[in-house]
Amino acid sequence: MRLALLPFLLAPLIAPLTAQAATTLSVCTEASPEGFDVVQYNSLTTTNASADVLMNRLVDYDAHTRKLVPSLAESWTVRPDGLTYDFKLRSGVKFHTTDYFKPTRELNADDVVFSFQRMLDPANPWHKVAVQGFPHAQSMQLPALIKKIEAPDANTVRFTLDHPDATFLATLSMGFASVYSSEYMAQLMKAGTPEKLNSQPIGTGPFIFKRFQKDAVVRYEANPHYFAGKPGVDALVYAITPDANVRLQRIKQNECQIALSPKPLDVAEASKDPALKVEKTDAFMTAFLAINSQHPPLDKPEVRQAINLAFDKPTYLKAVFEGSAKAANGPFPPNTWGYASELPGYKLDIAKAKDLLAKAGLKDGFSTTVWTRPTGSTLNPNPNLGAQLLQADLAKIGIKAEIKVIEWGELIRRAKAGEHDLLFMGWAGDNGDPDNFLTPQFSCAAVQSGTNFARYCDKELDTLIREGKTTSDQDKRSKIYQKAQALIQQQALWLPLAHPTAATLTRKGVAGYSVSPFGRQDFSKVTVK
């Protein structure tokens, strides 16, 4: 009933915009952001709605050239010992002017220093009021890595590291490393309303925040003073449309000019529509089932291995991804350097799975739960069907799995707290470095921050992850990461599912849009006819 009414409920919000299609870009997205203070969250949905449109980092990662490029920092130098990084800031960068904040100065080094000290220094007053904590900064172990941040002058920021880290520059391109206005944050703290940062954001990005209505719409307007040039549209609208079928209908009717996370069948249908285009690329992503190693009997490797052996992955891929994804054999996508292509993996073997359960003292099986989201995404196009297939496969070896469908924001929050047993999840690497699949997902620090959904902390694996960041030699790092992948597979911390194709639907009149393998969104150069 609710889904049937959805097009009519949202129509008043979208319809007036179609008359301004030449200057307004409407994007159909699949879920509401958790908030707009991006450092407190780790979901791609929140990054897309905050960091990608409202904010900037010191550096960006160009997915096409696979190189780091300047952003707020126009240049940088690294001392030979790999411990000191100096960034020269771009001049003339302006923060957004809104009805709740009027900046009195342009961006300077103090803003960068404050943005990082907030995450790293427990004594910082803003550190204490972050309800969700700082999951990325914590899982990436930045408090232990960054020894000091200082501003030698107004246009220079200096990071001094405790030890060399080959991933440091790439990490600075991630959404959570966005730069905030220290002037605005001081205004909020003085007023006693720091929580407004999460609902009234300020940045330097291509668009300015206007309004958010949960599960309905986010409105932005173009930033006329954007340092990279005013965007090609005057307004941007995120039309939050959880149902992929409704997203397809909306773009067909020109209520949206871009539709994110289409289902594979929708991609096939859109490719036959002369009014639509399909943008596709191999995604730097992995869909997986996280197995909570802290919940007995999932704490036994034999049980986790049995779950992997019981799963009919070819049937799952055909039914859920409809031929649009490659089978995953571990955390790394195949287009990642350091990918371990020789690992054996787990092939369907019911008899062996039953033997492993018997060896674990569970010959009669056990009961558990499977958590999944209610609506589809690039990393899980058909959540209900996928959960049902897993449930049926596990029943064949005596595991009784109850399916729990949980709203996306609530699912993320509770999974980070480690409440789940088996969890359908996905991870998108967003800085081009393979460590982005290891440190946030398998390090001990990431258990504390909540992004390690396997809840696995192991000295040997943690050491490998740490060693992989101590050298910039790619061959050496690859060998270390291959050992880490072998250990992850042997311990069966995940049931790896798929490496999807990232696809986006656009109207034929849309130009300047490129689908990102990382799931990031850049609408700053998009034009609409």
Side-chain angles (χ1 to χ4, degrees), residues 475-494:
D475 289 337
K476 290 181 180 178
R477 292 184 71 197
S478 292
K479 290 176 182 176
I480 293 170
Y481 290 156
Q482 286 165 9
K483 290 180 182 178
Q485 291 168 81
L487 181 56
I488 290 165
Q489 186 175 102
Q490 187 273 326
Q491 287 292 322
L493 304 178
W494 284 3

Side-chain angles (χ1 to χ4, degrees), residues 316-334:
Y316 170 84
L317 290 171
K318 184 176 181 181
V320 174
F321 284 89
E322 301 170 36
S324 67
K326 298 173 183 176
N329 197 35
F332 285 12

Side-chain angles (χ1 to χ4, degrees), residues 66 284 330-343 432-435 437-438 473-486 488:
R66 298 189 176 187
F284 198 63
F332 285 12
N335 55 351
T336 312
W337 60 264
Y339 175 72
S341 59
E342 305 300 321
L343 292 181
D433 194 287
D435 173 72
F437 285 88
L438 294 180
D473 187 309
Q474 189 164 305
D475 289 337
K476 290 181 180 178
R477 292 184 71 197
S478 292
K479 290 176 182 176
I480 293 170
Y481 290 156
Q482 286 165 9
K483 290 180 182 178
Q485 291 168 81
I488 290 165

Side-chain angles (χ1 to χ4, degrees), residues 112-184:
V112 182
V113 171
F114 185 88
S115 297
F116 282 88
Q117 284 183 337
R118 173 199 178 195
M119 294 186 285
L120 306 180
D121 181 7
N124 188 293
W126 276 92
H127 190 96
K128 302 173 183 178
V129 297
V131 178
Q132 303 292 331
F134 305 96
H136 268 305
Q138 291 162 1
S139 65
M140 302 301 282
Q141 301 169 49
L142 292 193
L145 174 63
I146 299 175
K147 190 175 181 179
K148 186 167 54 175
I149 312 171
E150 54 193 333
D153 58 61
N155 293 313
T156 305
V157 178
R158 176 171 297 155
F159 288 81
T160 304
L161 306 187
D162 177 78
H163 52 272
D165 188 312
T167 69
F168 178 63
L169 271 177
T171 296
L172 296 184
S173 71
M174 296 171 67
F176 84 95
S178 295
V179 175
Y180 289 68
S181 166
S182 61
E183 183 184 18
Y184 176 53

